[in-house]
Amino acid sequence: MLRFAPSPTGDMHIGNLRVAIFNYIVSKQLKEDLIIRIEDTDTERNIEGKDKEILEILNLFSIEYKSLFYQSANLKYHQKMALQLMTQKKAFACFCSDDKLDELREEAKKEGKPFRYDGFCENLSDETVLNTNAPFTVRIKKPEQNIKFTDLLKGDFDYAPFDVDSFIILRQDKTPTYNYACAVDDMLMDISVVIRGEDHVSNTPKQIHVRNSLGYEKEIKYVHLPIILNAQTGKKMSKRDDASSVKWLIEQGFLPSAIANYLVLMGNKTPTEIFTLEEAIEWFKIENVSKSAAKFDIDKLRFINRKHIEMLDEMRLSKILGFADADIGKLGKIFLEEASTTKEIKEKIEPIFAPKTSCEGFEEEFSKLKECLQKAPFFEDYEELKKYVMEQTGLKGKNLFKPLRYILTGVDNGPNISDIYPLIKNYLGEIIK
């Protein structure tokens, strides 16, 4: 069993999506189920509706999953297992106030040391705990031996007990902290492989320690994916980068198939540059993903997006553009020389159907042409239309072609009208109104 475990605390960014895609591909390759676990126990940071948005994006990218879970639904198990750890003296009640802990943090900072809990409450007697009315957290005792694990990408890791620390597993309100809830849920859900970002590497020994303390012996394989850098700045992609938001990319007219293509291609060895997720399942190897940070280049994504638009069925493209006519899909592809997203193609097509009242510098010719075209019979062929207009108006040269292009396309330049006309001829009444 594999899992994708997003938090509903903000927009899904490309790093999250890349993790989801890799989990999906590997689950298909291993023929194991993929589950979605919404990690919503940090109620103060949760944003209403973000869970639905995450699921909509997964659906948009055709990422299939077996089941959907909300981490908060497992609260009774989180509490029950914390109680088990306390009973076995593997966890303890901590009455240290936030002020006291802040004081310890400051002391560690001044000494240039990492902050670690000083163990003040670890050996309190049961009687003392029972007679103390102050609010408390629950901490798991730090391990007695080093925590070791092997990452399929990054190799071997070895964490000393000091690194793991006696960390909090239940807050004062008795809700679970991230590492504890994650460890318990991975155990309850029989997770076999965890694929996530490398920012979670330091969480892994803590989660292994929780499961070890609960007597869980199944080994979970880990893959921690490198961070994604902005190719232009060389810095880590952040929320300030528009392109980091999957929602923004979709709104800009990037196809889900192209985004998925690029996220798999990025920092990876692939047999071909342009492919679908279904094709990637056949050859993808998680161990071939680069150990170095991947660079996100929006221009490269534009190139890939253009290729995926080219591969789209014309009727499908026309529906994306707001029509239901294969000719409009063909028209959209004509503009791929100038555009690389469906949004940009829409912006090219909109002037064709926009009202046109005059053509600067050719006002008289514009009026004469418009009147002629409104009365003209239907012509299949652009050359026949052009011949008819020339005979009826007496216009020629730029006095004909400048205003004629503007009436038919709404712009002064672009692809040849002879290429555009066959695809818009059935809309002339609407275009020339």
Side-chain angles (χ1 to χ4, degrees), residues 94-105 117 121 135 139 172:
C94 176
F95 298 95
C96 297
S97 66
D98 290 342
D99 289 342
K100 175 62 177 176
L101 295 173
D102 287 342
E103 185 182 315
L104 292 173
R105 283 191 187 89
Y117 180 64
C121 296
R139 289 180 181 270
Q172 288 186 356

Side-chain angles (χ1 to χ4, degrees), residues 198-391:
E198 70 177 7
D199 51 327
H200 287 284
V201 168
S202 62
N203 292 327
T204 301
K206 294 184 177 184
Q207 293 168 18
I208 292 173
H209 177 47
V210 168
R211 290 194 297 274
N212 288 347
S213 299
L214 288 166
Y216 188 71
E217 296 181 351
K218 177 178 176 176
E219 181 186 0
I220 295 177
K221 294 178 180 178
Y222 285 94
V223 181
H224 291 93
L225 301 172
I227 61 170
I228 298 177
L229 302 177
N230 183 319
Q232 276 70 45
T233 65
K235 296 179 180 178
K236 181 180 178 181
M237 293 285 280
S238 69
K239 292 179 180 179
R240 290 189 294 275
D241 294 305
D242 286 334
S244 72
S245 166
V246 178
K247 186 179 176 183
W248 182 86
L249 290 172
I250 295 296
E251 288 171 349
Q252 293 302 304
F254 289 97
L255 298 177
S257 62
I259 299 170
N261 183 160
Y262 185 46
L263 291 180
V264 174
L265 177 71
M266 194 169 54
N268 198 1
K269 298 174 185 176
T270 63
T272 183
E273 191 170 46
I274 306 300
F275 49 83
T276 65
L277 269 189
E278 288 69 29
E279 290 167 344
I281 291 168
E282 299 300 317
W283 47 254
F284 179 82
K285 291 183 179 178
I286 193 78
E287 60 268 27
N288 283 347
V289 176
S290 173
K291 298 177 179 64
S292 305
K295 292 183 179 180
F296 184 91
D297 186 343
I298 192 74
D299 292 329
K300 183 67 175 180
L301 177 57
R302 285 183 179 280
F303 166 79
I304 291 171
N305 199 57
R306 192 180 291 116
K307 293 295 183 183
H308 277 262
I309 293 174
E310 287 175 2
M311 293 190 298
L312 271 184
D313 173 78
E314 277 83 9
M315 180 60 80
R316 173 69 185 135
L317 177 56
S318 78
K319 288 179 179 178
I320 292 173
L321 298 172
F323 293 81
D325 181 350
D327 279 348
I328 299 299
K330 292 175 184 175
L331 177 64
K333 290 187 178 183
I334 285 177
F335 288 109
L336 281 175
E337 290 186 15
E338 309 166 23
S340 56
T341 70
T342 55
K343 183 181 178 183
E344 290 170 354
I345 292 172
K346 279 182 183 179
E347 290 169 353
K348 297 290 183 183
I349 290 176
E350 282 170 358
I352 294 174
F353 295 93
K356 308 166 194 83
T357 55
S358 185
C359 180
E360 188 177 350
F362 298 89
E363 290 80 0
E364 186 178 332
E365 292 86 351
F366 175 89
S367 298
K368 189 182 288 188
L369 270 174
K370 190 169 185 179
E371 185 179 348
C372 174
L373 288 169
Q374 286 172 339
K375 295 176 181 177
F378 177 79
F379 291 100
E380 280 283 349
D381 184 68
Y382 172 65
E383 291 300 321
E384 291 178 8
L385 174 72
K386 184 172 69 172
K387 182 180 178 183
Y388 172 84
V389 169
M390 289 175 72
E391 289 173 352

Side-chain angles (χ1 to χ4, degrees), residues 18-36:
R18 191 175 187 230
V19 167
I21 288 170
F22 284 9
N23 271 288
Y24 169 70
I25 292 174
V26 173
S27 71
K28 289 291 185 183
Q29 291 178 330
L30 296 176
K31 294 181 171 54
E32 293 192 25
D33 291 334
L34 172 65
I35 62 172
I36 306 301

